[in-house]
Amino acid sequence: MFTIEEACLVVVDVQGKLATIVDESEEMIANVAKLVQAMQALEVPILWLEQNPSRLGGTALDIAQHLQGQAIAKMAFSACQEQEFVDALKVSGRSQFIVTGIETHICVYQTARQLKEQGFEVEVVADAVSSRTKANKEIGLEKMKELGILPTSVEMILYELLQRADHPHFKTVLQLVK
């Protein structure tokens, strides 16, 4: 089980025009925003990435308004090939990574795969990832599953982290997922 003490959220490239044209973009953006808000309430670290932000634009406002600090800019499709991300992983001290963002079959897949290859526990939030086409999202999720990167959902991972209905942040999370 993923725990608050070991988990870290990785938000991959939910930015610019692409964030608005991927399959089921509104639902994906809303779900990423819920995850970000819940993780902040639970004090779970968030590593926030932007692919080539000078060309693709910044993170979607519905998400960015809840994030603190600075995004990690990247040019590699896998965040694991960017030194700033590698350094942030070490600083986090976490061993479980919850991956969300776009595009499922490119940056999300490559980042999740390389995190798994480094020995971390990795899950991908299936209702908080997307690609331009539904087929590419499904292919990305299937390929990750074959590598042992299991899918989860926003509600499933949040309740897994809470573990109990008497957790001090249960009501906060409940309000987000309603």
Side-chain angles (χ1 to χ4, degrees):
M1 300 244 311
F2 275 48
T3 66
I4 290 170
E5 296 76 25
E6 289 301 321
C8 179
L9 179 66
V10 179
V11 179
V12 181
D13 309 342
V14 187
Q15 62 190 101
K17 183 179 178 187
L18 183 58
T20 66
I21 64 168
V22 294
D23 187 52
E24 299 182 1
S25 65
E26 289 180 18
E27 178 185 359
M28 181 270 307
I29 290 170
N31 283 339
V32 174
K34 288 175 190 176
L35 281 171
V36 166
Q37 292 172 79
M39 295 302 172
Q40 288 179 333
L42 298 172
E43 298 182 12
V44 170
I46 300 169
L47 299 179
W48 163 31
L49 302 156
E50 290 180 343
Q51 178 75 29
N52 194 5
S54 64
R55 298 270 322 242
L56 298 178
T59 298
L61 183 58
D62 288 352
I63 298 166
Q65 69 183 341
H66 303 293
L67 291 164
Q68 300 167 352
Q70 193 75 13
I72 298 171
K74 65 185 188 66
M75 292 299 287
F77 299 124
S78 170
C80 296
Q81 294 181 10
E82 298 289 349
Q83 191 59 50
E84 187 177 353
F85 181 75
V86 171
D87 293 344
L89 283 179
K90 289 177 186 169
V91 168
S92 80
R94 302 300 173 115
S95 63
Q96 299 173 326
F97 292 90
I98 302 159
V99 184
T100 182
I102 60 176
E103 285 191 76
T104 311
H105 66 297
I106 304 171
C107 297
V108 171
Y109 162 74
Q110 290 184 30
T111 299
R113 179 182 183 134
Q114 290 194 325
L115 285 167
K116 181 77 172 171
E117 288 171 348
Q118 292 176 39
F120 296 113
E121 288 181 79
V122 184
E123 289 191 0
V124 61
V125 188
D127 59 348
V129 294
S130 191
S131 295
R132 283 167 288 160
T133 67
K134 185 175 184 167
N136 276 331
K137 174 184 172 177
E138 290 171 358
I139 291 166
L141 288 171
E142 183 61 33
K143 198 161 181 183
M144 284 185 269
K145 189 174 180 181
E146 289 175 13
L147 295 169
I149 301 164
L150 297 178
T152 190
S153 69
V154 172
E155 282 194 42
M156 187 174 190
I157 195 64
L158 293 178
Y159 284 96
E160 185 172 333
L161 292 172
L162 289 172
Q163 296 184 14
R164 301 176 56 88
D166 60 355
H167 188 284
H169 293 293
F170 173 77
K171 287 184 180 178
T172 302
V173 170
L174 180 63
Q175 290 303 313
L176 289 169
V177 298
K178 273 184 156 179

